[in-house]
Amino acid sequence: MKFYLAPMEGITGHIYRRHFNELYKGVDKYFTPFIATNQTFKLKNREKREIDPKINEGMVVVPQLLTNNAQQFIWYAKEIKKLGYNEINLNVGCPSGTVVSKHKGSGMLIDLEQFDNFLETIYSELANDLSISIKTRLGIENFDDLEKLIEIYNKYPMNELIVHPRTRMDFYKNIPNYNAFKEVCEKSNKNIGYNGDIKISDDINKIITDFKDYNVDSIMIGRGFLTNPMLVENYLSNKPDTNIDCDRLKEFVAKLFEDYVRDYTACSDAINRMKELWFYILEPFSDYNEVKKYAKKIKKAKDKDVYETTVNNLIVTLKNITL
């Protein structure tokens, strides 16, 4: 089984990926947060930096594109290939209202005929030069068109179909629909990846055990890695999920913050970026009053010294907690 770091807008950018790869084990591929194509046919400086091969050296990185315009996809894919990338991922999963209203992300599933035409165009143009994988949801409001969607995907030579078995209306709520995922596994002729609510080792075991007879060979993890960057490392070494290396965590968040401070004009922007990550990291400790106290201080922090002092004290507290 291969393990992938999911693309999460605003969090799993090049800084996060680089330091995660330095300090933690278990990730076979890193997917970039989506690059939204535009009619100028020009990569923004921020996007160029995100996929700069030098920044991503030592990792297998897959750029992800968000678009419903085939010609834009083709142009961006060719530009990205010039940088040395051999795989592009198409985002057919984002449930954001502003994205879906433009028939992008999971909104592409609103009109399957139009989506089929889009895929026909990009694969006809690029299939001989690039691997195009797809990360997809399985419907808008329900799974009524699932069989038709599988038939469409089966037509094209994608190297991998990564499935998040929810509808767009589910967002990230409700339980992933394993029956729908099983139907994909049974009827698809592709290598299948699973994505959705992988938070602990038992979740990994469930996918491996329940779908061992199908062509599922990868698991993509997003929020589970944010909460516990040792998730797969613990799983592979048969250690409990409660195994948390606080010294390594301290080094990780310190390196992230240092680079965010360097990357952003205002230190407050770097602090805000860390606040979002701490929300996930502290989720397993939500019942501990001492942790809640420091979580509130981090949430209110606006000053660099206040933030760093609070984090250092928090790490000491975490060391003394047994989950």
Side-chain angles (χ1 to χ4, degrees):
M1 187 63 65
K2 294 171 290 188
F3 295 97
Y4 302 159
L5 177 68
M8 299 187 70
E9 182 68 17
I11 301 181
T12 61
H14 65 90
I15 291 174
Y16 183 94
R17 293 196 303 272
R18 185 171 69 254
H19 292 306
F20 188 105
N21 192 63
E22 288 173 357
L23 293 168
Y24 298 103
K25 301 175 183 177
V27 174
D28 298 289
K29 277 185 184 180
Y30 295 83
F31 287 71
T32 72
F34 65 71
I35 296 171
T37 72
N38 63 73
Q39 60 189 5
T40 66
F41 291 91
K42 184 177 181 181
L43 281 162
K44 300 173 184 176
N45 289 333
R46 173 179 56 82
E47 296 166 344
K48 289 179 181 178
R49 187 169 67 252
E50 186 66 32
I51 58 175
D52 185 338
K54 293 180 181 178
I55 289 178
N56 293 297
E57 193 173 0
M59 295 175 275
V60 178
V61 173
V62 179
Q64 185 186 78
L65 294 179
L66 177 80
T67 186
N68 62 5
N69 184 296
Q71 295 308 316
Q72 290 178 16
F73 183 98
I74 291 167
W75 184 89
Y76 276 75
K78 288 182 176 180
E79 290 300 302
I80 292 170
K81 179 177 170 56
K82 291 176 184 177
L83 297 175
Y85 293 96
N86 295 313
E87 180 182 350
I88 304 290
N89 184 257
L90 172 66
N91 183 319
V92 192
C94 180
S96 166
T98 54
V99 170
V100 172
S101 65
K102 299 174 184 176
H103 286 208
K104 299 178 182 180
S106 59
M108 298 184 85
L109 303 177
I110 293 172
D111 187 336
L112 291 185
E113 183 177 354
Q114 185 177 31
F115 181 44
D116 192 6
N117 292 334
F118 170 91
L119 295 178
E120 171 67 30
T121 302
I122 67 170
Y123 277 102
S124 296
E125 178 71 23
L126 297 169
N128 292 330
D129 300 316
L130 273 169
S131 293
I132 304 172
S133 59
I134 292 178
K135 181 177 184 290
T136 187
R137 290 197 176 220
L138 296 180
I140 297 298
E141 295 183 358
N142 51 54
F143 301 103
D144 290 353
D145 291 329
L146 180 55
E147 187 169 353
K148 183 177 180 181
L149 180 62
I150 296 169
E151 289 176 358
I152 290 172
Y153 284 145
N154 280 347
K155 292 165 59 177
Y156 300 104
M158 65 190 72
N159 64 308
E160 188 168 30
L161 180 64
I162 302 169
V163 177
H164 186 150
R166 282 187 169 101
T167 65
R168 181 266 165 173
M169 294 300 292
D170 286 329
F171 280 79
Y172 298 99
K173 300 177 182 178
N174 304 323
I175 298 172
N177 193 303
Y178 295 109
N179 289 330
F181 183 70
K182 183 178 179 181
E183 185 173 347
V184 175
C185 294
E186 290 174 338
K187 297 179 179 178
S188 176
N189 59 14
K190 308 303 176 190
N191 292 324
I192 302 296
Y194 176 85
N195 171 235
D197 285 15
I198 301 294
K199 298 179 179 179
I200 58 176
S201 294
D202 283 348
D203 298 329
I204 296 173
N205 280 324
K206 177 176 176 59
I207 299 303
I208 292 175
T209 301
D210 291 359
F211 300 98
K212 64 180 184 299
D213 296 327
Y214 302 100
N215 52 337
V216 179
D217 61 4
S218 66
I219 295 176
M220 176 179 277
I221 304 172
R223 289 171 291 171
F225 270 138
L226 302 187
T227 299
N228 181 10
M230 293 183 69
L231 173 57
V232 170
E233 190 174 325
N234 284 336
Y235 169 77
L236 294 174
S237 58
N238 293 313
K239 293 181 180 179
D241 294 313
T242 53
N243 178 45
I244 298 172
D245 186 334
C246 288
D247 290 329
R248 210 184 329 172
L249 177 62
K250 181 179 180 179
E251 182 180 2
F252 181 48
V253 295
K255 286 185 172 183
L256 289 177
F257 184 56
E258 181 181 357
D259 276 3
Y260 288 148
V261 169
R262 187 182 301 117
D263 204 51
Y264 290 107
T265 303
C267 183
S268 58
D269 292 333
I271 294 173
N272 288 335
R273 176 60 59 90
M274 294 304 301
K275 287 178 182 180
E276 188 171 7
L277 181 58
W278 276 111
F279 171 81
Y280 291 101
I281 294 173
L282 295 180
E283 186 178 337
F285 304 93
S286 58
D287 292 334
Y288 294 87
N289 290 329
E290 190 72 8
V291 174
K292 287 181 182 179
K293 179 182 73 174
Y294 289 117
K296 288 180 181 178
K297 287 184 177 181
I298 289 176
K299 191 174 182 179
K300 293 179 180 179
K302 297 180 180 179
D303 176 81
K304 181 175 182 290
D305 290 338
V306 170
Y307 167 79
E308 290 182 323
T309 299
T310 303
V311 168
N312 288 336
N313 290 333
L314 170 60
I315 295 292
V316 172
T317 299
L318 295 180
K319 286 182 177 182
N320 294 320
I321 290 177
T322 301
L323 287 173

